[in-house]
Amino acid sequence: MHGETAERLFREYLERQGWRYWTESEFRRALGLNKACPAPDFTLLDDTGAPVALVEVSQFTGDIDALVPENGLTPVKTSPLPPKVRKKANQLRSVLQQASGQLGDLPTMLALYDPLGAQTHRVVILQRLLGLAQAVDTYPLAGKVGMQQLMLTPEGQFFRYAPQNAHLSAVAALRTEKVFAHLSGLEREIAAIEAQDFEAFADKFCEIYEKHRAISARVDEEVPVLEIFLNPAAQVHRYTLL
């Protein structure tokens, strides 16, 4: 099923974080809607069971050879991210139009999963959705260049099509990470290894790894995480997903 992995990872994320939620079918049943009515993939609930946010989950798919050009880089300007966001934002708009009378104004989020990690890379999201650009202060008369800094420009999709995206509160990159390897200090210890050759490095690596395994540290476990990017032009911004 298209997007099956993404939905499984997002469901695991919610359950690890202790969030209650409705599925599509539960959403329709709760609102008395038929199967033809649009519904979000997930509806987040508060402690009382009331809806607090609507989430659509989507996955980038495709053969790796088709996605990655010969030079090994995926051009940002030809990224499938904007059309993906546009399509899913339209779906969320349909959901809101159908259910706003019963639910009122709720924040919405699009959670994106790319197995290759290219289209959900923070630079791609910032550049395509928020118009990230690098600005440099220059002083021609003095022949000097000042500090470089990142800034948001009107070229991003959230700004250029603000009215069309006003109902979309956020876009999130969904991925898996070895969180416990980081929290346990394993990654920090490995980064500090000083070795003159690979064999010495491997010996020290194994020593550190086995030390952490001996105390039952879950250093190999990958867990789903979200990196959330808020839409500055959104109408609703009540968000507590972390």
Side-chain angles (χ1 to χ4, degrees):
M1 183 186 298
H2 179 68
E4 186 177 79
T5 301
E7 291 194 16
R8 175 181 58 79
L9 288 175
F10 190 76
R11 184 178 297 107
E12 181 184 347
Y13 172 85
L14 292 180
E15 292 172 355
R16 283 179 176 272
Q17 298 296 322
W19 278 95
R20 300 169 62 187
Y21 61 86
W22 288 338
T23 60
E24 287 187 55
S25 57
E26 290 169 332
F27 176 89
R28 293 190 180 96
R29 185 162 55 248
L31 272 65
L33 304 174
N34 60 48
K35 291 184 179 181
C37 295
D41 291 323
F42 296 89
T43 302
L44 306 190
L45 310 174
D46 63 16
D47 293 338
T48 69
V52 293
L54 308 178
V55 182
E56 189 72 18
V57 179
S58 188
Q59 180 171 335
F60 290 93
T61 58
D63 183 78
I64 188 169
D65 293 328
L67 289 174
V68 182
E70 293 182 0
N71 62 6
L73 299 176
T74 301
V76 173
K77 66 180 181 180
T78 58
S79 165
L81 176 63
K84 170 78 77 174
V85 170
R86 188 159 51 248
K87 177 182 177 181
K88 293 301 178 179
N90 287 337
Q91 290 181 211
L92 282 170
R93 184 185 296 107
S94 297
V95 172
L96 288 172
Q97 290 172 344
Q98 178 75 44
S100 60
Q102 299 183 61
L103 300 180
D105 292 328
L106 289 180
T108 65
M109 184 174 76
L110 171 57
L112 299 170
Y113 173 65
D114 181 1
L116 302 178
Q119 301 310 317
T120 53
H121 191 283
R122 107 174 2 223
V123 172
V124 177
I125 290 179
L126 287 173
Q127 185 172 345
R128 299 302 291 167
L129 300 185
L130 291 164
L132 182 72
Q134 192 168 46
V136 182
D137 293 326
T138 59
Y139 307 94
L141 296 179
K144 295 182 179 180
V145 177
M147 294 182 57
Q148 296 186 19
Q149 58 183 339
L150 297 177
M151 62 179 295
L152 302 179
T153 74
E155 294 303 312
Q157 186 170 342
F158 281 160
F159 291 100
R160 294 181 65 186
Y161 307 102
Q164 296 95 315
N165 292 316
H167 66 290
L168 187 60
S169 303
V171 169
L174 174 64
R175 60 176 179 271
T176 59
E177 290 187 2
K178 292 186 176 181
V179 174
F180 299 111
H182 174 73
L183 296 178
S184 69
L186 173 69
E187 291 181 347
R188 183 171 60 255
E189 291 186 47
I190 291 175
I193 293 177
E194 295 183 1
Q196 299 300 316
D197 54 55
F198 179 77
E199 184 176 356
F201 174 86
D203 289 343
K204 189 62 177 177
F205 177 94
C206 290
E207 178 185 333
I208 295 172
Y209 178 81
E210 291 303 327
K211 180 185 72 174
H212 284 266
R213 291 287 292 171
I215 58 175
S216 300
R218 294 174 290 169
V219 294
D220 291 323
E221 184 177 357
E222 291 189 335
V223 300
V225 298
L226 283 183
E227 184 175 13
I228 300 175
F229 302 84
L230 295 179
N231 176 8
Q235 292 175 340
V236 182
H237 258 152
R238 297 195 309 273
Y239 242 91
T240 53
L241 260 181
L242 296 175

